[in-house]
Amino acid sequence: MTTIHTRPLGAPETAATAAAIHRNALGAAQKRLWQAAIGTMVPDTQTQLPQTPETEKLDLDALLELSGRATQPRTVAAMLHSPEFQDIDLRSLEKRASEPVGGPTLDPARLGANARHAPSLERAAERTGIPATALAAIVNAEAAKDSSGQWNVYSRNSRSSAAGLGQFLSGTWQGMAETRGTWLNQTAQAKGWLDRSGQVRPAARAALLQLRYDATASIETTADYAQANLKLLKRSGVATGEDPSAVARTAYLAHHLGPGDAARYLKTGLTDARASLLLRAQIGGGRAAQAIARTGDASAAHRAWLDQYVGSRVRPDRFA
């Protein structure tokens, strides 16, 4: 059934109104296309979990730390060698060929108060092949903002080690510095922060972690991390999508769940125990129990909530 929107006779239809309607329709369509592309399409009746202030930001690392169930983070280099992702040599990102994804280009004006970051987003996109609009969407979902919407380069989560525009945990940031071919690895080498084996020198760790508050470093590393995770997901058999919306949302899932959990989430779903833990940490025990009762199992309830969360907040079209 098609819904027809009408307006009072004589009321002007402004360009701004038309643009807003177009953006909303495009966003809804892209959400559904993304879910279909990566195999997570669920009925709309299952996705209407209410949003509340405590779900304003997805921060699984901090929530799991609070619950005492955090897992030890694995570096990208370790993930590249893990049994989950065998039969391909991804130990280094040095010789990769960037494959730009087609789609709308970044419009600096649409960044608003963050227009000054457009050059960094575009350079990172050109180097890695991750669309600039997708990178903008990921950073916009990660970074804290002031009242004008400006990204706070000094974003820091008081409940975990996450910091900077990309909200990188200390271990993940160090791992990216030790992954050959990344922007951060090349910078660390130039500054003498790595030893002969390519590991971060203990005396240089503080300076390396401080670099998370540099906007360019954070954006470049967000792009490298997204590309590494997408490669891992593709190798595990996950369809990551081709358009900027699918790329951004899949990369965002991997950023938080880790490529291992993200692969399981997108292919077969998390176990009920894991899904229940994450859902309770994110929306509270009472609401999680209600959602699980409504959908029939914890994995379905968690999928419904997370698909809706990412679909509504990671929107490359807003910057195109």
Side-chain angles (χ1 to χ4, degrees):
M1 178 178 178
T2 301
T3 301
I4 300 176
H5 298 279
T6 61
R7 58 187 175 87
L9 200 59
E13 183 174 4
T14 66
T17 300
I21 293 173
H22 173 72
R23 285 196 301 271
N24 288 336
L26 180 62
Q30 285 184 329
K31 173 187 173 183
R32 304 299 289 176
L33 288 171
W34 168 67
Q35 290 177 326
I38 62 178
T40 63
M41 185 72 78
V42 293
D44 280 338
T45 55
Q46 291 185 357
T47 62
Q48 301 307 310
L49 294 181
Q51 300 294 322
T52 60
E54 68 266 22
T55 67
E56 243 347 270
K57 182 168 174 55
L58 181 62
D59 190 354
L60 298 182
D61 296 303
L63 290 166
L64 290 176
E65 284 179 10
L66 287 175
S67 69
R69 298 290 298 279
T71 55
Q72 196 64 25
R74 288 188 287 174
T75 66
V76 171
M79 287 299 298
L80 295 173
H81 289 293
S82 70
E84 299 161 275
F85 306 101
Q86 288 297 318
D87 305 323
I88 190 169
D89 184 8
L90 289 175
R91 289 172 295 178
S92 169
L93 299 182
E94 283 180 312
K95 296 182 179 179
R96 65 193 171 193
S98 61
E99 300 176 358
V101 176
T105 58
L106 180 71
D107 180 358
R110 297 291 294 277
L111 287 169
N114 299 299
R116 67 189 178 93
H117 297 299
S120 293
L121 291 165
E122 290 169 340
R123 283 194 299 270
E126 183 177 357
R127 184 176 60 82
T128 63
I130 304 297
T133 53
L135 292 176
I138 294 171
V139 172
N140 191 60
E142 285 288 330
K145 306 174 188 66
D146 63 19
S147 58
S148 70
Q150 182 172 315
W151 301 332
N152 179 7
V153 296
Y154 299 106
S155 297
R156 179 65 189 264
N157 191 305
S158 61
R159 299 178 299 178
S160 75
S161 63
L165 293 185
Q167 287 294 282
F168 281 95
L169 296 173
S170 299
T172 304
W173 187 259
Q174 181 171 331
M176 292 303 291
E178 294 171 348
T179 300
R180 298 193 308 274
T182 65
W183 184 95
L184 193 56
N185 175 259
Q186 293 169 355
T187 299
Q189 286 188 41
K191 291 182 177 292
W193 290 347
L194 304 179
D195 60 23
R196 291 183 178 178
S197 63
Q199 305 298 300
V200 174
R201 300 179 187 276
R205 190 169 186 270
L208 173 71
L209 294 180
Q210 187 67 22
L211 199 58
R212 289 179 295 175
Y213 300 113
D214 179 271
T216 295
S218 192
I219 289 170
E220 293 281 6
T221 303
T222 295
D224 278 324
Y225 192 52
Q227 187 183 59
N229 283 338
L230 289 172
K231 279 192 173 185
L232 289 169
L233 290 175
K234 287 178 181 178
R235 182 63 196 95
S236 71
V238 171
T240 59
E242 297 299 330
D243 64 281
S245 180
V247 169
R249 291 168 180 172
T250 307
Y252 188 72
L253 281 175
H255 196 104
H256 287 282
L257 294 176
D261 263 352
R264 286 184 284 274
Y265 175 87
L266 295 170
K267 290 172 66 177
T268 60
L270 299 177
T271 64
D272 275 354
R274 180 69 169 166
S276 177
L277 168 66
L278 296 179
L279 190 61
R280 285 188 287 106
Q282 194 67 61
I283 67 176
R287 290 179 58 226
Q290 293 175 5
I292 293 170
R294 212 165 32 239
T295 56
D297 64 81
S299 181
H302 176 256
R303 178 183 297 280
W305 180 83
L306 188 52
D307 278 359
Q308 177 176 304
Y309 184 95
V310 177
S312 64
R313 283 166 173 75
V314 184
R315 296 275 304 279
D317 59 292
R318 292 176 175 169
F319 306 103

